[in-house]
Structure formats: C-alpha cells, structure tokens
C-alpha cells in the first residue's frame, strides 16, 4: 500500500485499529498500550495530556503569524461550490528572543476536528483544549530579526493538518529561515479559514483517489503562496524578511511528493525535500536538475523496498542529491506525531520520537543551509557517528 495513504484510526473504547488511510495523523497511527476490556476502559481514570514540542536549537527565537489567502482566480479543486481556493498559512520567522507571546499549536476547532477524525479515545486525556495548547516554542507578535532570509515552504501529509510540521518549522526559523507552513484545505482534518469555518476533509475517504491530482493541486497552492509573499502588495506584513531568490520546499508523505511536483512546475523553488513520501508521479529524467533530498524510513524507502517510486526518482534527479534512510523510523517519525503520541501514552517505533525529531531537523536544516545559503555541511558528506541510524543510499 502506498504510504501516503496509510494511517490506522483508533476506535474509542475498543481501541482497535479501524481502517488504513493517509498521512501521519496524531493518535491515529498506533493503538494505546492497554489490555483492558471495553467496559473497563470506559471507567478507567482519564490521563491528563500535556504536549510539548522540543525547543528550537538555533540562535534566534521563532516568531509566528497566521495569515489567510484567497485565490480569486481558482475555484477550490475539491469543493467547487465553496468558492475560490482559500488557504491558511502559518508564517514562522527569525525573531528576537524574549519578545512576543506563546503561540498555540492550533485552533480549538482544528484540534476538535483532528480528534474526531483520528477517533482519539477519551481515555488518552487528549482534549481540544490541551491539544490546541501544546507548547510550540513559537511566539505570536515576536520582534523580527533584521535582514533577509531564505523562504522554505512546508507541506504536510495527506489527511494531516499543517501543524504536525511545527517542530521542523520552528527549528528552521531559529536558524535564519522564513517558513510558510501551508494548510491543505479539504485534504485534512480541518484548517480554520478566514471565514471562520474549519471544513473537514472532502477527499480523504476515497480509497481510489488519484494522488497525482493532489500533488498537482498543492503545486498550484504553493506557487500562489509564493506569489502573495514575494510580489506586488504582499499578504504578510513581514514579507520584507524574505529573500525571494532563495526558496526551498520540504514536505512529509504526499507533501514530500508535492515538493517534487512543485519544483517541476515552478523554477523559483531551488531545492526540495521529500520526507518518506511515495512520489506521485515519480519525476521523469531532466525535469528536476536542482538540489533534492530524499529522507525516509528504512523500511519504506530503501532500495528494493515496496515503494519503487524512490528508485525511479533517484535515477531521474539531475542536480545535487542525497538519498538517506533512517533505521527504526516509521512514517510519522519525521513529524511531531510520534513525540506527541508518546507523551499521550501511545507506543512508539524502534526509533525514539525524540531522535526522529533531531534527525529530521538536523538533516533538513543542513540541506537548506548548503543549497540556499551556500554553507557547506559535512553532515551531508557521508555517515556520521552522531547519527548511526542514518544510512546513505545507494
């Protein structure tokens, strides 16, 4: 099964896996560690969930703004009756430490939608309020650092809200990047739009849905976001922070596949990262001659694995490229999901969630440092004793 569409939802009380589907959704990829019967679980004390993402490691704080964009020239591709395509984008930026106020992880409506879609049991202690209140180490209204900084666009997995890439976004911002984390409207558990609505997924439950359509649509979304951030009357008051000549894109799962599709469609995107996503479609030779990083779980993404799209993409890529696999990782290891699930009492993959976050942050940041800032990173030269889980392929 394509891992862009793999997720196991958890049923309340019975705690049994229900279906396979998409992305990495929080509390939707594993079953809580319990052998209680349904009746016993129903009467068991509820845990109190307090989620915390790791602090970023760079010299800057991570500022955060949420902006809303409407593409008046494009009907929504999934629900045309809703009108023009509306997007919610979280902007992260290098900020002065000690300024601003702590930013929430998501809105209450987004949290409620995610809990409902993932069928998170009440016994986990996860509520809309404490999920929305996960500590992010990002700060609303923080004073920006001076200067211009490369722009990195981030795209989440299919079915996942944009916020599951927050720990990566804050890390990049702390190292001197502006980050645009784009919400995939109608493709996940809900993004709160400028009209106050938080629509649920319109296409997630179709097992035969053409994922090539999703990557093509996301490429249009990203190009539109770049336009609104870099041209004319910009949609973000701090757009002057962006170096519009240095733009990269990274994504998880279908978001990673969308990075390749976007690079083919938009030459402004100079470097791309696919984190554990099946390519839809695999790029043809000669279509991408700019830097590209393939970073995935060893079980999914090694040469000879069931996902043949990675071998095809590797052969087709014409620019600077790296293919890295992470031993012990699972599909959500490159997001916030495993870490928050561990804090909620769910089982974890062989690779500890904290290590998954560290590896993702360090290799993605090193890649963009090298390709967008021109700062050579020895981390990308070969195996590192500090990261024995990371294997260079082929």
């Amino acid at each position: 099964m394509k891992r862009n569409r793999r997720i196991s939802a958890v049923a309340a009380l019975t705690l049994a896996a229900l279906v396979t589907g998409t992305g990495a959704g929080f509390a939707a990829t594993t079953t809580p560690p319990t052998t209680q019967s349904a009746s016993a679980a129903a009467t068991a004390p509820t845990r109190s969930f307090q989620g915390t993402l790791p602090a970023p490691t760079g010299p800057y704080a991570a500022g955060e703004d949420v902006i809303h964009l409407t593409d008046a020239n494009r009907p929504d591709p999934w629900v045309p009756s809703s009108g023009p395509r509306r997007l919610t984008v979280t902007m992260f930026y290098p900020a002065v430490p000690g300024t601003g106020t702590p930013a929430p992880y998501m809105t209450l409506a987004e949290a409620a939608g995610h809990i409902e879609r993932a069928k998170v049991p009440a016994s986990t202690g996860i509520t809309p309020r404490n999920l929305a209140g996960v500590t992010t180490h990002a700060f609303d209204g923080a004073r920006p650092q001076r200067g211009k900084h490369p722009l990195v666009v981030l795209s989440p997995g299919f079915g996942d809200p944009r916020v599951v890439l927050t720990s990566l976004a804050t890390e990049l911002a702390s190292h001197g990047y502006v980050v645009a984390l784009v919400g995939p409207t109608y493709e996940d558990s809900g993004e709160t739009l400028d009209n106050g609505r938080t629509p649920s997924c319109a296409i997630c439950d179709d097992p035969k849905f053409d994922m090539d359509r999703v990557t093509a649509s996301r490429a249009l979304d990203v190009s539109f976001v770049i336009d609104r951030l870099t041209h004319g009357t910009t949609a973000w008051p701090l757009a002057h922070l962006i170096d519009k000549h240095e733009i990269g894109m990274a994504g998880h799962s279908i978001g990673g596949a969308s990075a390749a599709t976007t690079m083919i469609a938009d030459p402004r995107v100079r470097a791309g990262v696919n984190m554990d996503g099946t390519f839809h479609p695999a790029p043809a030779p000669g279509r991408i001659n700019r830097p590209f990083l393939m970073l995935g779980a060893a079980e999914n993404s090694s040469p000879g694995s069931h996902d043949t799209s990675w071998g095809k993409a590797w052969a087709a890529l014409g620019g600077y490229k790296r293919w890295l696999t992470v031993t012990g990782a699972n599909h959500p290891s490159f997001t916030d999901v495993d870490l928050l699930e561990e804090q909620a009492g769910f089982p974890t993959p062989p690779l500890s969630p904290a290590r998954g976050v560290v590896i993702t942050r360090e290799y993605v940041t090193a890649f963009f440092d090298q390709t967008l800032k021109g700062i050579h990173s020895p981390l990308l030269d070969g195996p590192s004793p500090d990261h024995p889980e990371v294997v260079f392929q082929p």
Side-chain angles (χ1 to χ4, degrees):
M1 176 175 289
K2 299 297 187 183
R3 62 185 180 275
N4 286 329
R5 297 191 60 83
R6 187 176 63 201
I7 188 173
S8 54
V10 186
L13 299 181
T14 62
L15 308 181
L18 290 181
V19 295
T20 56
T22 65
F26 175 49
T29 56
T30 53
T31 301
T34 179
T35 56
Q36 293 175 305
S37 68
S39 59
T43 59
T46 298
R47 293 189 294 271
S48 178
F49 169 69
Q50 293 182 319
T52 302
L53 302 181
T57 66
Y60 308 125
E64 178 181 320
D65 284 333
V66 176
I67 63 174
H68 300 279
L69 306 176
T70 300
D71 187 350
N73 296 317
R74 180 184 171 215
D76 189 274
W78 316 126
V79 186
S81 61
S82 68
R85 181 67 164 166
R86 288 182 168 86
L87 298 170
T88 299
V89 182
T90 305
M91 302 298 303
F92 298 85
Y93 57 92
V96 176
T99 64
T101 58
Y105 191 48
M106 56 174 70
T107 68
L108 284 171
E110 289 167 346
H114 196 59
I115 288 171
E116 179 181 0
R117 177 151 194 88
K119 297 180 173 61
V120 180
S123 59
T124 64
I126 301 171
T127 67
R129 186 165 298 279
N130 59 31
L131 182 55
V134 165
T135 299
T136 66
H137 301 284
F139 297 89
D140 285 329
R143 189 164 75 249
Q145 296 284 345
R146 295 181 178 179
K148 289 189 176 293
H149 310 276
L151 171 67
V152 174
V153 182
L154 296 182
S155 185
F158 188 67
D160 291 341
R162 70 190 190 281
V163 300
V164 301
L165 297 179
T166 296
S167 62
L168 176 58
T170 58
E171 179 74 358
L172 287 167
S174 79
H175 285 275
Y177 292 88
V178 173
V179 179
L181 182 46
V182 182
T185 310
Y186 291 114
E187 298 171 32
D188 67 2
S189 53
E191 307 284 345
T192 300
L193 304 176
D194 58 348
N195 58 12
R197 296 180 59 245
T198 308
S200 60
C201 191
I203 59 176
C204 289
D205 296 324
D206 182 354
K208 297 181 180 180
F209 195 82
D210 182 1
M211 299 305 285
D212 289 7
R213 290 181 59 195
V214 175
T215 60
S217 178
R218 291 205 186 181
L220 292 173
D221 286 348
V222 170
S223 291
F224 171 67
V225 170
I226 293 173
D227 287 343
R228 297 292 287 116
L229 292 174
T230 62
H231 290 89
T233 302
T234 56
W236 181 44
L238 299 180
H240 62 275
L241 297 175
I242 296 172
D243 180 350
K244 64 181 181 181
H245 302 294
E246 301 293 345
I247 299 174
M249 180 177 174
H252 172 251
S253 197
I254 198 66
S258 299
T261 305
T262 303
M263 288 184 72
I264 293 171
D266 194 331
R268 294 175 297 181
V269 182
R270 298 190 56 225
V273 180
N274 181 353
M275 298 182 292
D276 208 52
T278 297
F279 287 89
H280 285 280
R287 301 302 303 276
I288 300 179
N289 293 315
R290 284 157 281 158
F292 204 90
L293 170 65
M294 296 159 47
L295 175 66
E299 67 172 352
N300 299 328
S301 308
S302 299
S305 66
H306 67 279
D307 187 349
T308 60
S309 75
W310 276 49
K312 293 175 182 177
W314 178 255
L317 293 171
Y320 172 82
K321 59 184 179 179
R322 288 291 183 268
W323 180 352
L324 309 179
T325 57
V326 184
T327 303
N330 66 359
H331 191 45
S333 291
F334 309 93
T335 72
D336 303 341
V337 171
D338 278 347
L339 187 66
L340 294 178
E341 287 193 345
E342 180 181 52
Q343 293 170 7
F346 288 76
T348 62
L351 180 74
S352 80
R355 284 295 295 160
V357 170
V358 168
I359 288 169
T360 301
R361 284 175 153 190
E362 292 197 8
Y363 280 89
V364 173
T365 301
F367 176 76
F368 285 129
D369 280 351
Q370 183 153 311
T371 57
L372 298 182
K373 293 185 176 181
I375 301 172
H376 174 68
S377 176
L379 192 64
L380 298 172
D381 291 343
S384 166
D386 294 331
H387 301 293
E389 310 94 336
V390 180
V391 178
F392 280 65
Q393 308 282 355

